[in-house]
Amino acid sequence: MSAEVRWQRKDLLGIRELSPEEITFILDTADAFKEVGTREIKKVPALRGKTLVNFFVEPSTRTRTSFEIAAIRLSADVINISASSSSLSKGETLKDTAKILEAYHADLIVLRHSSSGAPQFLAQRLKSSIINAGDGAHEHPTQALLDTYTIRSRKGRIAGLHVVIIGDILFSRVARSNIFALLKLGARVTLIGPSTLVPREFENLGVTVRHQLDAAVLETADVVNLLRIQHERQRKEYFPGIGEYIRLFGLTKERGQWLKPDCLIMHPGPINRGVEIDSELADGAQSVILEQVTNGLAIRMAVLYLCGGIATP
Amino acid sequence: MNAVIRNGRIIDPANKRDEVADLFVVDGRIAAQAAADAEVIDATGLVVAPGLIDLHVHLREPGFGWKETIESGARAAAAGGFTTIVCMPNTSPAADSPGTIAWIRDRAAEVACVNVLPSGAISKGLMGEELAPIGSLKQAGVVAITDDGRCVQNNELMRRAVEYARMVGVPVFDHCQDYSLVGNGVVHEGYWSTLLGLPGWPSIGEEVIVMRNILLADCCEHEVHCQHISAAGSVRLLREARARGVKISGEVCPHHLALTHEAIQDFDTNCKMNPPLRAKEDVAALLEGIADGTIEILCSDHAPHARFEKEVEFDAAPFGIVGLETELGLFLDLLVHKNKTIGLPRLIEMFTVNPARLLQSEAGTLSVGPAADVTLIDPDLDWTVDASKFQSMSRNTPFDGWKVKGRAVRTIVAGKTVWSL
């Protein structure tokens, strides 16, 4: 079936609005692109002549680099604009800056922004394709897609798996997008972390909330996805400190023994070694952390290809 | 200005009057008999009510004339059926000095087509640190003190403000928001804040200050009025305190009844207000509070903002919506027609005699003698909100295009028609 029939969106704003079929279609498209990265000439002409702007209003190295490599492999021309070099710091509004990008005929705008809903704001106002590279604590759709892709490629399926997400869920866009994607594809999701960072309200999204990282949950996990804990940046009233966090919620070697041998260990990075995860486990046989990074390229190529194709006037 | 308002249903809750009769205006005042040369205004099928009062309006002058002016805000009030409005002090400069109050009153006398009553600040510069000159403000003509838009966090300062206001004889209004609990919250803390990853503004952030105000009103034996109540817990606290005779009151805005936090799901900044839109349970509690008299005042919290100010990222957008021109229609539609929470006489009481009592004003009645401020209402008129036709300078409303039943059709201030449909 052709892309035109299966993919009708000019933007990728979040996972919540996608159907399970659309998610699967992106994953299938990524399969086709994954091989490109292993070629001697790592480039296809899919987006030749298209202009992509990496518009990062919040600092990021990993995601920006990943989008940039993906765009280059699709032969798009890439411009990077970061918050410090943009006019936003001079008081220009997001709308005005975005209108200028549109006036340059940018075909795709990859937006990272600290405000939830900023990609929706741009998508409602611009003809360019908007790809959400993370907005506030809202969504980070390509991260969830590459996580699901990684799980699917290792496990052969998503449906029926038990995925445990551990850490700061409240402030995490990665967690939200993962929850939406995993539930849509039929997985069972458990969230674990301090009650201040994993409020009960999340249960209304259809997941299980627990505040204990014990054998009962780890023995049944098919995937453990660890989120970065940022005590230095976060308001300190949410949890007492790193030491106590490790004691209660760190994936230590001791807790790691409860995991099934084929349980996947994932992390969106950057890792705090020895905090959310023991260093040896992060590098161990169950870890697929570097695979996530590689798969991220294929997923982002697929997303840029699909949305970039739709945006053609 | 002489007139006979003929054959309307006169609803005058202050005088326990509800009958079809003629109302006479002589020399701009309500009279017992008609003057010979009176203009006849046919009010057949209409409700003839005392001019409506809104205790909570932001007119934005001085300082923010691109959002609203005293003139345009007063016109918006007239178009909404209001003859008296109380304007909030969060202007630039803040209304914390007799000079600024005098400027507002002079400006209103010059350009406003309705009665504009200024409120003054509780604290200097609305900073919550030192008392504003409340006695001088009262002498300059403020009808209430409030730091609206902000909330005095220091309980000692607030206690002294209430004590001082009691001496001076001016009620204290309060925007109830505990900063430590609310933090950078922009939407109700609940399902939608969780789903959308927007910072939550929890109900308890309001309830804590309502409780504080109840304790202070009790301790100082003086009127404290809790502005724009939004949370179920606040209603319960007010109900219990009022039953004990504490001089505490609350007011409700139409948007907190018409919408829930579900409305924010598309990140529409016209659904961003402070306090935020809350859950179904909160709406039910507000309706219950209105039905049982716990809440006896309705208001708009008319908060104009220019389009360019609202057209930004959700968490960067200013709070608030315009309300004067949709307020009566929405309340009639929701309270009288749809939910049948209260009848028309009670609704009019909540817009007239109740706020007038808090202001110690003689307005809000159709008694013979006072200025003839009268609002003619067609309670069954079906109409569609069209923001492009607003008298207000701003258009920031989530209700554009809404179909509503009931509205004011003529607004009369001191016997003079200042607006008619």
Side-chain angles (χ1 to χ4, degrees):
Chain A
M1 202 175 274
S2 68
E4 285 71 28
V5 175
R6 300 281 292 273
W7 187 260
Q8 301 290 339
R9 297 176 185 272
K10 107 179 152 66
D11 312 301
L12 178 69
L13 304 177
I15 300 293
R16 189 163 67 93
E17 58 267 28
L18 301 184
S19 67
E21 292 72 27
E22 285 175 305
I23 296 171
T24 303
F25 185 64
I26 297 172
L27 303 186
D28 292 346
T29 309
D31 268 336
F33 281 114
K34 191 169 180 189
E35 176 264 334
V36 174
T38 63
R39 294 182 194 169
E40 173 120 14
I41 307 292
K42 300 182 184 57
K43 204 158 190 170
V44 291
L47 292 184
R48 193 167 60 193
K50 301 262 186 192
T51 306
L52 178 142
V53 177
N54 259 332
F55 184 25
F56 277 60
V57 187
E58 188 185 68
S60 155
T61 305
R62 289 171 162 258
T63 306
R64 187 187 55 71
T65 306
S66 180
F67 269 108
E68 188 169 355
I69 295 173
I72 287 169
R73 287 187 179 170
L74 292 170
S75 306
D77 299 309
V78 183
I79 307 294
N80 288 305
I81 300 175
S82 67
S84 52
S85 65
S86 81
S87 307
L88 289 173
S89 51
K90 298 176 197 155
E92 189 173 74
T93 65
L94 177 62
K95 183 192 167 192
D96 287 336
T97 305
K99 281 286 183 190
I100 285 161
L101 298 181
E102 187 174 54
Y104 291 148
H105 301 292
D107 300 287
L108 293 127
I109 297 174
V110 177
L111 178 71
R112 159 70 62 93
H113 199 293
S114 57
S115 295
S116 296
Q120 277 76 2
F121 178 89
L122 286 197
Q124 287 157 6
R125 288 165 178 81
L126 301 186
K127 290 190 285 290
S128 315
S129 283
I130 309 297
I131 311 298
N132 182 3
D135 62 324
H138 181 214
E139 286 234 37
H140 193 348
T142 55
Q143 179 70 44
L145 289 166
L146 74 89
D147 289 345
T148 359
Y149 183 85
T150 305
I151 298 170
R152 193 181 77 164
S153 63
R154 278 302 193 104
K155 296 281 185 187
R157 67 191 166 105
I158 301 292
L161 296 180
H162 182 204
V163 180
V164 177
I165 306 175
I166 306 169
D168 166 10
I169 311 291
L170 181 60
F171 294 102
S172 174
R173 52 193 171 217
V174 174
R176 282 176 180 78
S177 288
N178 261 287
I179 291 167
F180 299 142
L182 292 166
L183 292 180
K184 280 172 196 282
L185 297 179
R188 187 158 70 83
V189 178
T190 300
L191 308 179
I192 296 184
S195 51
T196 46
L197 292 174
V198 192
R200 287 270 162 208
E201 189 68 48
F202 274 94
E203 288 186 337
N204 293 323
L205 307 190
V207 301
T208 305
V209 169
R210 286 175 56 97
H211 306 300
Q212 272 178 306
L213 188 59
D214 54 17
V217 69
L218 288 181
E219 281 170 3
T220 64
D222 298 300
V223 177
V224 170
N225 197 347
L226 299 141
L227 302 180
R228 182 177 164 80
I229 279 290
Q230 300 176 80
H231 192 250
E232 71 283 2
R233 219 181 73 185
Q234 241 161 41
R235 300 201 287 169
K236 307 237 180 210
E237 52 263 41
Y238 282 85
F239 68 99
I242 293 295
E244 176 154 322
Y245 184 84
I246 297 168
R247 188 163 298 129
L248 268 57
F249 300 105
L251 189 60
T252 56
K253 265 187 287 188
E254 294 70 34
R255 290 195 175 103
Q257 290 167 2
W258 290 324
L259 295 172
K260 292 192 276 193
D262 64 344
C263 176
L264 304 179
I265 295 177
M266 304 177 74
H267 195 301
I271 305 173
N272 292 313
R273 285 179 184 270
V275 180
E276 58 263 7
I277 182 167
D278 183 271
S279 191
E280 283 178 37
L281 285 174
D283 300 328
Q286 291 162 298
S287 167
V288 292
I289 295 172
L290 290 175
E291 257 180 74
Q292 289 174 267
V293 176
T294 306
N295 290 338
L297 295 173
I299 282 292
R300 288 178 177 123
M301 286 173 79
V303 166
L304 294 177
Y305 166 73
L306 292 173
C307 293
I310 291 295
T312 308
Chain B
M1 199 63 69
N2 301 328
V4 177
I5 301 169
R6 182 146 289 165
N7 202 35
R9 177 181 168 192
I10 295 178
I11 300 183
D12 180 12
N15 294 305
K16 305 217 173 341
R17 221 179 142 196
D18 184 354
E19 60 182 342
V20 174
D22 298 342
L23 185 76
F24 309 112
V25 177
V26 176
D27 293 333
R29 296 184 169 275
I30 306 284
Q33 286 181 323
D37 60 342
E39 174 199 0
V40 174
I41 298 168
D42 182 18
T44 307
L46 301 178
V47 168
V48 179
L52 308 184
I53 301 170
D54 189 330
L55 289 186
H56 197 144
V57 173
H58 295 271
L59 292 181
R60 302 300 188 205
E61 272 193 316
F64 305 108
W66 67 88
K67 298 171 193 263
E68 192 81 286
T69 62
I70 290 172
E71 182 184 12
S72 65
R75 268 192 279 115
F82 294 89
T83 58
T84 297
I85 53 179
V86 176
C87 59
M88 294 297 111
N90 58 341
T91 48
S92 180
D96 64 354
S97 73
T100 302
I101 299 300
W103 186 89
I104 293 168
R105 294 185 68 191
D106 288 350
R107 188 79 193 136
E110 212 175 312
V111 300
C113 64
V114 302
N115 306 303
V116 172
L117 307 179
S119 64
I122 294 173
S123 69
K124 282 184 190 158
L126 310 175
M127 297 304 288
E129 288 162 5
E130 301 169 70
L131 286 185
I134 296 167
S136 311
L137 290 171
K138 166 73 175 173
Q139 285 173 4
V142 305
V143 295
I145 55 166
T146 173
D147 272 3
D148 183 53
R150 299 196 187 202
C151 176
V152 174
Q153 300 295 294
N154 182 323
N155 294 329
E156 162 67 359
L157 185 75
M158 192 63 176
R159 178 196 168 178
R160 299 308 173 198
V162 178
E163 278 181 354
Y164 202 89
R166 179 174 191 254
M167 171 188 81
V168 168
V170 68
V172 180
F173 294 3
D174 194 25
H175 165 117
C176 302
Q177 177 179 355
D178 182 286
Y179 292 173
S180 63
L181 285 166
V182 173
N184 60 351
V186 290
V187 298
H188 176 58
E189 183 183 294
Y191 179 77
W192 287 101
S193 70
T194 303
L195 195 72
L196 301 177
L198 285 167
W201 194 135
S203 294
I204 192 174
E206 172 179 292
E207 292 154 2
V208 155
I209 298 292
V210 169
M211 189 70 240
R212 185 269 307 261
N213 289 342
I214 288 167
L215 295 171
L216 291 180
D218 200 4
C219 158
C220 306
E221 294 180 54
H222 186 57
E223 277 87 6
V224 181
H225 176 67
C226 297
Q227 298 177 289
H228 44 49
I229 289 303
S230 64
S234 302
V235 178
R236 191 184 66 242
L237 291 167
L238 289 174
R239 181 180 294 120
E240 290 164 2
R242 286 166 64 89
R244 285 192 291 119
V246 179
K247 294 177 174 175
I248 191 89
S249 56
E251 64 183 23
V252 166
C253 306
H255 43 269
H256 289 129
L257 298 178
L259 296 166
T260 68
H261 58 154
E262 196 179 349
I264 62 169
Q265 61 183 293
D266 297 321
F267 299 97
D268 179 358
T269 56
N270 282 333
C271 291
K272 180 181 174 183
M273 48 281 273
N274 191 7
L277 300 173
R278 297 209 184 272
K280 284 203 303 280
E281 299 72 30
D282 296 294
V283 172
L286 293 176
L287 290 171
E288 202 185 325
I290 289 167
D292 72 11
T294 299
I295 305 287
E296 53 171 17
I297 292 172
L298 303 173
C299 71
S300 64
D301 191 8
H302 179 78
H305 292 292
R307 184 181 163 91
F308 74 88
E309 295 171 302
K310 277 288 199 179
E311 204 175 359
V312 296
E313 299 89 320
F314 193 89
D315 53 8
F319 290 98
I321 60 169
V322 289
L324 282 167
E325 294 169 78
T326 46
E327 176 181 3
L328 178 62
L330 287 167
F331 276 131
L332 272 166
D333 195 70
L334 293 165
L335 296 178
V336 178
H337 295 301
K338 287 212 178 86
N339 292 301
K340 306 202 188 310
T341 314
I342 52 174
L344 257 177
R346 187 65 212 303
L347 181 91
I348 288 164
E349 186 186 324
M350 295 179 78
F351 270 127
T352 57
V353 62
N354 293 351
R357 194 184 299 130
L358 192 62
L359 301 177
Q360 300 158 321
S361 160
E362 67 170 13
T365 83
L366 294 176
S367 303
V368 170
D373 294 347
V374 184
T375 303
L376 304 192
I377 298 166
D378 183 341
D380 298 312
L381 184 70
D382 292 302
W383 62 289
T384 303
V385 177
D386 180 355
S388 70
K389 301 238 159 61
F390 280 173
Q391 300 296 313
S392 169
M393 281 170 61
S394 291
R395 304 278 179 265
N396 51 313
T397 176
F399 300 117
D400 195 24
W402 276 43
K403 294 189 186 335
V404 176
K405 192 191 249 325
R407 68 172 297 162
V409 295
R410 185 190 281 255
T411 307
I412 299 167
V413 175
K416 183 182 164 202
T417 295
V418 295
W419 183 85
S420 71
L421 190 62

